[in-house]
Amino acid sequence: MQVIKTPQKSSLFKQILAGQLILALASPSAGFVYAAGPAPSSVTGDVSVQGESAALQNLGRAVQSPDARSSNLPPRNTPQTQGAFVLPDMGDPGGDSLSRMDEKKYGEMIMRQIRPDADYSNDLPIYDFLNQMERRLLQAAKRLQLGGANEQGSGAYNFEVFAVKDSSINAFALPGGFIGFHTGLLVSAETDSEVASVMGHETGHVLQRHLARQMDKQTTNMMIALAGMVLGALAASRNPGAASGLMQGGQALAVNNQLSYSRDAEREADRIGFQILAASGYDVNGAPGFFQRLQKATGIMDSGVPSYVRTHPLTTDRIADMQDRARNIANRNVPTAVEFYFIKARARMEQSGSSSQMYDLKNTFDGLSKQSAPGKQMEGFYGLALVAQKQGKFDQASGYLQQARNLANSASAPGSPIQRQSLSLDITASELALAKGKGDEALQIAQATLKAYPQSYAAGAAMMNAYLKLGRTNDAITWLKARTRLQPNEVVWWAMLSNAYDQAKNVPMRHYALGEKYALEGAWPSAIEQLKIARSSGGADFYQASSIDARLREMQKQYREELKEQGKNMPS
């Protein structure tokens, strides 16, 4: 299923939330809205959600309705304790809930809609930062033997964390271990422990299978069939009236029934997330500190409430629970990694949008560079380097970059001549060297960075860019072929491999790699067409031609299966 593009920029989170609504609407007995929950019963009336569609405003009203509660749950005034909440065996798919295999399958289907979206962030240092953090959290979860963390084989989740270019403060989990972070959350956080606390919470939702336990096969099939229509309508018109009929009558009741599960799910995710956070060495005060600041800054129930609070109902009791858990952990000094401040600067750049906003952004970074806190200064000088780089002022960018590096060295190793390496600083240094025609220097920096961060996508991409600029096409192709075998589901490697084959004048393999890229983006007709071109263009050896034929048949089969899920037939 392809994302419908429009001249106007649509919010990716709104589309995802619409998809969650579709799941809830599809069946009164199962839903996907794991992240929304009823407000305290004392609160009634409408939620003022500025700029949202009527469908989402109706969801806000449903959330606050006294009827937004399952009859199977105890009364609101019944004290709830954590020990009374019983979870099913995590190794068991849980009756009619979605199996792990199907959960991963549908998660990938959703991601194929998200990846080509204009709001999906392709900033690789941010991607590296988020996924390195997730790997650290998962290692802690495995040591704790938390349910699902040590799953092997086809049942194991392949966690992937990605960023969304949106200034709102939000994060969300999707089926199969995909977690999205809005850039606004990265910008608003004061420490990497605060980011980790949110990521731990979302990881808790995934490990406890809060999504899968609310979904069944029939619901999921209906979601796939309806998603394109509803998402297209929301993206195409941005007209509140276009979706106003979605929440009528029994459909609104279905949503109300699903929202009742959210509070217990949120508490459980809090508990799991805290355990992971503590075991991974981050500051356990990250969660209460972050949410307290949100609460003080906006007020939980005012019209300016952050998106994260709207989709993850935050109560005073939950904040108190987080504080109680933190008090039971011995105090420890957990310094914030210098890389976090550079990622904040990159997140500001990502959500800035057009080049016309560069003036305001430059003023923001200039102001940060003059503050007394070293972290603010680092973010400011690095941000100034990024702005200058984007404006083509490469020498000026190098000067700002060196100031950021000097601050980082001072902050991370006071009194020591040893310079601490930073992925973001090194990637920018490599990019600037390449832009100034210093290809060998750019390659040397990229290779050293990849050696220091072997799992880094940004370092690998920087090395490939240097190879191609230097005309070392065969080196690039060799590395990218190995990487696509190791990570076949990564769009970035297939896109770069297609460029490398193009530079090598290898027509069939260029189209083959481009087809793989389109397939990962859910553009099945384009992917199939590229492989047909690859097959008919000539020039491929026997092995390559056989691989292209086999992959073409596989793509056609997968496309048919996905259309069948949507109740459609294969185009002739």
Side-chain angles (χ1 to χ4, degrees), residues 495-540:
M496 297 193 84
L497 182 58
S498 177
N499 290 337
Y501 277 129
D502 185 42
Q503 188 166 308
K505 310 299 183 185
N506 189 331
V507 176
M509 296 308 292
R510 171 185 178 270
H511 288 287
Y512 167 75
L514 195 57
E516 293 287 3
K517 172 186 178 291
Y518 286 151
L520 288 170
E521 293 175 338
W524 291 113
S526 297
I528 291 169
E529 180 64 23
Q530 288 298 316
L531 262 67
K532 288 180 178 179
I533 294 173
R535 186 177 60 179
S536 61
S537 62

Side-chain angles (χ1 to χ4, degrees), residues 383-394 396-398 400 432:
L384 288 171
L386 294 177
V387 171
Q389 179 187 17
K390 189 167 185 177
Q391 294 175 335
K393 302 174 182 178
F394 302 127
Q396 187 181 90
S398 296
Y400 286 132
L432 288 173

Side-chain angles (χ1 to χ4, degrees), residues 89-164:
D89 178 4
M90 292 299 101
D92 185 345
D96 292 332
S97 67
L98 206 64
S99 72
R100 288 181 181 273
M101 287 290 290
D102 281 339
E103 193 179 350
K104 291 166 61 178
K105 172 184 175 182
Y106 291 118
E108 274 291 354
M109 290 176 71
I110 294 170
M111 286 303 297
R112 284 197 288 271
Q113 298 181 61
I114 291 175
R115 290 187 186 110
D117 193 283
D119 287 336
Y120 179 86
S121 172
N122 290 303
D123 188 282
L124 294 180
I126 293 178
Y127 185 89
D128 283 339
F129 174 81
L130 292 174
N131 284 278
Q132 187 278 330
M133 178 177 283
E134 179 65 16
R135 287 191 293 270
R136 177 173 167 179
L137 296 176
L138 285 173
Q139 287 300 317
K142 290 177 180 178
R143 290 194 300 270
L144 293 171
Q145 297 291 309
L146 293 177
N150 290 297
E151 192 75 24
Q152 300 295 319
S154 60
Y157 293 123
N158 296 318
F159 278 84
E160 180 181 346
V161 189
F162 59 95
V164 176

Side-chain angles (χ1 to χ4, degrees), residues 465-478:
N465 287 330
Y467 272 151
L468 293 177
K469 189 78 170 183
L470 291 168
R472 296 175 57 174
T473 312
N474 290 336
D475 289 332
I477 290 174
T478 299

Side-chain angles (χ1 to χ4, degrees), residues 199-248:
M199 192 176 293
H201 178 94
E202 300 302 326
T203 303
H205 277 306
V206 175
L207 293 180
Q208 295 303 315
R209 309 199 67 220
H210 288 154
L211 298 178
R213 285 154 53 197
Q214 293 187 84
M215 299 167 68
D216 62 21
K217 191 68 171 292
Q218 179 183 7
T219 304
T220 307
N221 289 344
M222 295 183 73
M223 180 273 290
I224 297 298
L226 293 172
M229 178 184 68
V230 178
L231 298 183
L234 290 176
S237 64
R238 302 297 300 276
N239 177 8
S244 61
L246 287 175
M247 300 287 291
Q248 302 297 322

